[in-house]
Amino acid sequence: MDDSAANRVLIIGAQGVLGTLLTRGFREAGWDVVRGGRRPERAADFRLVDLSQPETLARALAEVDLVVSAVRDTRLTAERSVLSQGGMLINVNGVSAAERTALRREIVAPRGLVVGRTGLGGVVTFLAGRELIDQHADADTAEVGLTVSSRAASGREGRLFLHSLLARPSHHATARIALPPPFGRQRCIELGPNEVTETIFAEAFPGCAVHYYACLSPTIFRATFLGLNSVRLLSKLPRAAFTAGRGVPKRIPREPFCYWATLRRDGRVLGSRFLQGEGNYQGTVAATLVFAEALRPHASGPDARRGVLGVDEILALRDVEAGLAEHGVAVSRITPAPR
Ligand SMILES: NC(=O)c1ccc[n+]([C@@H]2O[C@H](COP(=O)([O-])OP(=O)(O)OC[C@H]3O[C@@H](n4cnc5c(N)ncnc54)[C@H](OP(=O)(O)O)[C@@H]3O)[C@@H](O)[C@H]2O)c1
């Protein structure tokens, strides 16, 4: 990679919904974007990148020093290539603990940096979560949650991920949770147990029982799910209902979203962090942009970090919250008065 690659980013999955929004967001922020996708296009900024054919990546990688992947790829093709060749890759889906271990074993002297635990979920779980854990080491319970709107932008892969969270098991516990305006007190569905609760949260909140909640909106969507949940029929939710209507919407919705993390001890709230903004996917773009800028100094020079790291191993919430605010994602901290 030469100097001309310094402000150039390859977005893999650029033909998908999140990839399209990432492309727009990075361009608006002044980056030179190379779009990678698996369906051929003639556009000058496009490169055919099919992660099931690793050789298609090589040319595009040589042009950039940053890769953002919006593709959930269990083969870890792009991650492996960046670790071997150099540069930095931000994976919006994260890299699981098992995947990190496998990559570390395989590439013992990495030349590049792969950063996982990004996206809004990563900010709230690992950056806000770390800050909370540092302040409240005596916590015994963590609650992590997100709002899910049927009006939000999402592509096929994003909706399938949601289906996997909501449709298993057939019945979820529910709880009423007080969220900041405009949400207020809402009945939320407890998600899991699943891969997220069993692996990711166990890493983020060691020693705590973790509850993972989704607050569904608007009212009709929430009522439908709560109804199906009460008669234990969630596992009958057809995948097709989640994958119908593909394509990038012309107008990107700006529904309010909230992600939160709360620590408790003996049921008492010790502290909470909330992330709020408008448009869940836009918020993910904002987080990715802010991470890209904040991580850059750590990815080159004599002290460059290499290997597979979580974003929390490099940055703290304080390092990114001003940048997030500039992009319309607000962080708020609530610490109840001592009793
Ligand atoms: N962490 C977060 O905060 C966050 C937020 C939003 C979304 N996400 C995740 O981001 C991902 C994308 O979501 P989305 O809603 O944008 O889905 P999407 O619209 O279905 O986009 C996925 C894209 O990946 C492409 N793709 C799939 N396999 C590929 C391969 N082998 N090589 C190259 N490209 C490949 C697809 O190509 P085709 O177009 O040819 O099918 C599609 O363009 C999902 O995994 C979702 O869970 C994470």
Side-chain angles (χ1 to χ4, degrees):
M1 283 160 224
D2 55 38
D3 283 350
S4 62
N7 205 31
R8 197 175 292 163
V9 55
L10 167 67
I11 295 179
I12 304 177
Q15 293 165 314
V17 175
L18 183 60
T20 300
L21 298 186
L22 283 165
T23 299
R24 275 185 214 161
F26 272 80
R27 284 209 172 123
E28 281 166 18
W31 288 75
D32 183 3
V33 177
V34 177
R35 298 167 54 246
R38 63 179 173 177
R39 283 176 280 122
E41 271 185 40
R42 284 185 186 278
D45 64 350
F46 181 80
R47 305 288 177 272
L48 188 73
V49 174
D50 186 339
L51 296 176
S52 61
Q53 299 170 37
E55 67 283 2
T56 60
L57 239 186
R59 182 177 150 216
L61 275 190
E63 295 181 61
V64 300
D65 68 352
L66 172 65
V67 180
V68 172
S69 178
V71 179
R72 179 82 190 108
D73 172 38
T74 50
R75 294 159 299 226
L76 302 169
T77 305
E79 288 73 9
R80 220 170 247 121
S81 300
V82 167
L83 287 173
S84 312
Q85 292 177 32
M88 174 165 74
L89 180 145
I90 296 176
N91 183 325
V92 299
N93 288 296
V95 183
S96 72
E99 290 171 337
R100 283 205 306 275
T101 307
L103 285 172
R104 280 173 185 154
R105 269 204 201 114
E106 189 186 316
I107 303 168
V108 285
R111 298 176 63 195
L113 173 65
V114 167
V115 187
R117 301 173 176 173
T118 57
L120 293 172
V123 176
V124 85
T125 307
F126 286 99
L127 297 187
R130 167 66 57 87
E131 195 180 85
L132 281 166
I133 286 280
D134 285 349
Q135 285 175 11
H136 306 287
D138 56 337
D140 57 22
T141 305
E143 291 168 8
V144 187
L146 78 167
T147 53
V148 174
S149 169
S150 59
R151 294 190 177 138
S154 66
R156 184 173 191 275
E157 291 301 323
R159 290 196 296 261
L160 283 175
F161 176 66
L162 194 58
H163 178 268
S164 73
L165 291 180
L166 291 172
R168 276 197 327 248
S170 284
H171 180 259
H172 299 259
T174 66
R176 282 180 77 82
I177 295 181
L179 297 178
F183 298 100
R185 207 170 166 76
Q186 298 285 355
R187 182 155 296 282
C188 300
I189 286 188
E190 181 168 357
L191 304 171
N194 55 37
E195 192 196 334
V196 178
T197 54
E198 311 244 304
T199 56
I200 297 177
F201 291 155
E203 277 182 62
F205 302 101
C208 288
V210 184
H211 300 276
Y212 183 28
Y213 292 105
C215 168
L216 308 185
S217 66
T219 310
I220 179 75
F221 183 57
R222 179 167 61 249
T224 305
F225 267 86
L226 289 171
L228 286 171
N229 187 49
S230 66
V231 291
R232 298 177 181 266
L233 279 179
L234 281 181
S235 63
K236 302 279 185 235
L237 279 173
R239 273 166 58 106
F242 281 71
T243 53
R246 290 186 65 179
V248 181
K250 282 206 170 62
R251 252 189 85 253
I252 301 300
R254 288 278 189 177
E255 82 296 341
F257 69 77
C258 177
Y259 284 66
W260 70 93
T262 292
L263 289 187
R264 293 177 186 268
R265 166 107 205 149
D266 299 330
R268 187 172 63 87
V269 172
L270 301 172
S272 299
R273 301 289 179 271
F274 297 95
L275 282 190
Q276 288 186 264
E278 292 182 349
N280 197 329
Y281 270 36
Q282 303 284 23
T284 304
V285 172
T288 311
L289 261 170
V290 171
F291 283 144
E293 295 290 358
L295 289 166
R296 268 168 116 178
H298 300 274
S300 58
D303 299 326
R305 307 289 298 267
R306 300 190 204 290
V308 193
L309 297 174
V311 72
D312 51 301
E313 293 174 272
I314 308 174
L315 301 172
L317 185 60
R318 300 255 178 220
D319 298 325
V320 295
E321 65 179 301
L324 288 171
E326 275 172 35
H327 289 277
V329 179
V331 175
S332 53
R333 297 171 169 80
I334 295 182
T335 307
R339 282 190 299 189

